[in-house]
Amino acid sequence: MSEDAMSAHEVLAAVRELAPVLRERAAEAEELCRVPDASVKDIEGTGFFRLLQPKAYGGFAADPVVFYEAVKEIAKACGSTGWVASVVGVHPWHVGLYDPRAQEEVWGVDRTTRIASSYAPTGKVTVADGGFRISGRWHFSSGCDHADWALLGGLVLGEDGAPVDMRTFLVPRTQYTIDRVWDTVGLRGTGSNDIVIKDAFVPEYRALSFGPVSALRTPGQELNPEPLYRLPYASVFTTTISTPIVGIAEGAYEAYAAATRERIRVSYGQKVAEDPFAQVRIARAASDIDACWLQLRRNMSELYAGAERGEDPSAELRARVRRDQVLATERAVAAVDLLVENAGGSAMRNGPNPVQRAWRDAHTGRGHAANDPERALVLFGQAALGLDIQDTML
């Protein structure tokens, strides 16, 4: 079947077929501190990176639930690979919001071009004729070794030095270098290195303000009228962070259950599978992981259905998405903890134990800024009480 004839659901089926191969390469990803090139090539071959890419440039502009389902499947097999797939895979959606001239620069010659990111506004931005000059260092750019462009956050300052705008600058690989500083306990294979720019000019049309993005009125909608490009950035991006963590937890659960069927607890002279306390932990972990995914899926389905009808989502729905997203991360991490507590000392030995790796990966992913539960839950509380909400992460 040609790539043009594929459907988004066939991409998901291809991802599931590939998952065992990605699982076998999980240790290699940790050793390399980056996703193996072969894995990126294989994922690209499934059509995954085109799921959220505009139809104008050969993508599916698919229902985002299909994308997140595929992310979860990859993360079950390898947390680092799932994290990179999720983050790099969502960037075509973001670029689809940009001025058509920017999209043409990214995909006009090569429709398989991939984009990395570092959204925290850590660089220096100076207004210039026709655009901006940017310089500085941006941290935690997951999968940047596999990308030829980067989306970089920056604050535009007024004459008094106070921020007047926040933008995301789309920059080609020719204008930045990668400083390979990533060496961590968890998500080791994500290659979340630093991007460094000495002085780069970014034209106005490649510097997208968060104002129109939050208002769901962006230049890219002119070229890309599909419902996908009328979804809130905060909903899409934060779900992109939580979904691989849920996938990691699901993979840990499956690995734990498989190992427990054969495990003997020597201190009690008992098969762990026959221990009712272990059975209860399995039930609790499974339920929490299911709850995580069901809420994430429900919320994204409602957002997408509204976009298909041409409706803007309510503040209450956007706040609920954030509420359930941070709690999905919290529940997924807790579920992995529940399993690890009953996995025995052998699970913590150095080596390719999938439960131990999932524990390290889930806790590392939990530290992402999108997973700040208090901030997100306050937003939901404000929306539920009918208060005005002013927050860029909604």
Side-chain angles (χ1 to χ4, degrees):
M1 180 180 296
S2 69
E3 287 191 354
D4 290 340
M6 291 179 71
S7 72
H9 287 283
E10 287 166 331
V11 171
L12 177 56
V15 165
R16 286 183 172 134
E17 288 182 13
L18 177 62
V21 177
L22 302 178
R23 185 175 294 109
E24 290 175 3
R25 294 181 185 145
E28 181 185 359
E30 287 207 319
E31 184 178 348
L32 293 173
C33 282
R34 55 177 278 178
V35 175
D37 293 342
S39 293
V40 175
K41 182 178 179 181
D42 287 344
I43 293 170
E44 182 177 293
T46 68
F48 170 83
F49 291 120
R50 296 191 294 126
L51 284 173
L52 302 188
Q53 190 161 313
K55 289 182 179 180
Y57 288 101
F60 294 100
D63 181 335
V65 171
V66 178
F67 170 76
Y68 292 119
E69 183 88 46
V71 166
K72 186 165 70 74
E73 292 298 315
I74 297 171
K76 280 171 59 177
C78 172
S80 289
T81 304
W83 184 276
V84 169
S86 193
V87 171
V88 174
V90 82
H91 293 150
W93 171 82
H94 195 180
V95 173
L97 307 181
Y98 275 68
D99 186 294
R101 289 172 290 177
Q103 297 182 54
E104 178 65 19
E105 287 187 23
V106 173
W107 292 308
V109 175
D110 183 0
R111 294 186 174 189
T112 67
T113 297
R114 291 182 293 272
I115 308 103
S117 72
S118 180
Y119 288 109
T122 56
K124 179 182 178 182
V125 178
T126 305
V127 178
D129 186 23
F132 304 87
R133 303 208 73 86
I134 67 171
S135 59
R137 178 181 290 267
W138 286 260
H139 307 292
F140 310 125
S141 184
S142 300
C144 58
D145 284 314
H146 304 290
D148 290 315
W149 288 77
L151 293 158
L152 305 175
L155 294 174
V156 181
L157 307 180
E159 293 182 0
D160 60 356
V164 295
D165 194 9
M166 183 172 177
R167 296 195 176 220
T168 305
F169 300 87
L170 181 59
V171 183
R173 181 77 171 260
T174 53
Q175 290 185 310
Y176 64 82
T177 60
I178 296 172
D179 189 4
R180 290 177 175 81
V181 297
W182 187 248
D183 184 9
T184 56
V185 172
L187 293 176
R188 278 184 64 79
T190 61
S192 303
N193 291 302
D194 290 1
I195 287 179
V196 181
I197 294 179
K198 291 186 177 179
D199 180 37
F201 175 73
V202 181
E204 173 77 27
Y205 64 84
R206 278 203 270 114
L208 184 60
S209 172
F210 263 93
V213 171
S214 296
L216 310 183
R217 301 291 183 269
T218 62
Q221 292 168 342
E222 202 179 308
L223 178 64
N224 306 314
E226 296 87 3
L228 179 65
Y229 305 101
R230 295 197 301 276
L231 299 178
Y233 169 88
S235 300
V236 171
F237 180 72
T238 58
T239 304
T240 297
I241 296 303
S242 285
T243 299
I245 298 175
V246 174
I248 289 166
E250 192 168 318
Y253 167 77
E254 292 180 359
Y256 172 86
T260 299
R261 293 186 187 102
E262 308 299 328
R263 183 173 154 234
I264 303 293
R265 180 173 283 128
V266 178
S267 55
Y268 296 120
Q270 178 189 36
K271 286 186 176 181
V272 178
E274 297 173 354
D275 180 356
F277 301 110
Q279 295 161 3
V280 168
R281 284 177 179 266
I282 286 174
R284 287 186 180 279
S287 179
D288 283 344
I289 294 166
D290 281 351
C292 294
W293 174 240
L294 289 171
Q295 286 189 310
L296 292 179
R297 181 186 180 97
R298 176 197 66 171
N299 290 340
M300 197 52 61
S301 293
E302 287 192 24
L303 283 172
Y304 188 65
E308 287 183 308
R309 295 190 298 268
E311 301 170 359
D312 287 345
S314 66
E316 290 78 11
L317 176 56
R318 292 167 78 150
R320 193 183 81 196
V321 171
R322 289 286 283 124
R323 178 200 71 185
D324 293 342
Q325 169 262 316
V326 294
L327 291 180
T329 292
E330 190 173 274
R331 288 192 184 109
V333 173
V336 176
D337 285 346
L338 195 65
L339 298 174
V340 168
E341 288 168 5
N342 200 50
S346 295
M348 286 293 113
R349 288 176 178 165
N350 286 326
N353 186 293
V355 177
Q356 180 224 72
R357 181 184 295 120
W359 182 75
R360 291 186 282 110
D361 288 347
H363 277 274
T364 301
R366 165 67 183 83
H368 192 283
N371 291 323
D372 181 345
E374 289 78 17
R375 185 176 300 279
L377 296 180
V378 163
L379 292 176
F380 178 80
Q382 291 173 343
L385 295 171
L387 303 176
D388 289 335
I389 303 173
Q390 298 293 329
D391 197 289
T392 58
M393 290 306 289
L394 189 63

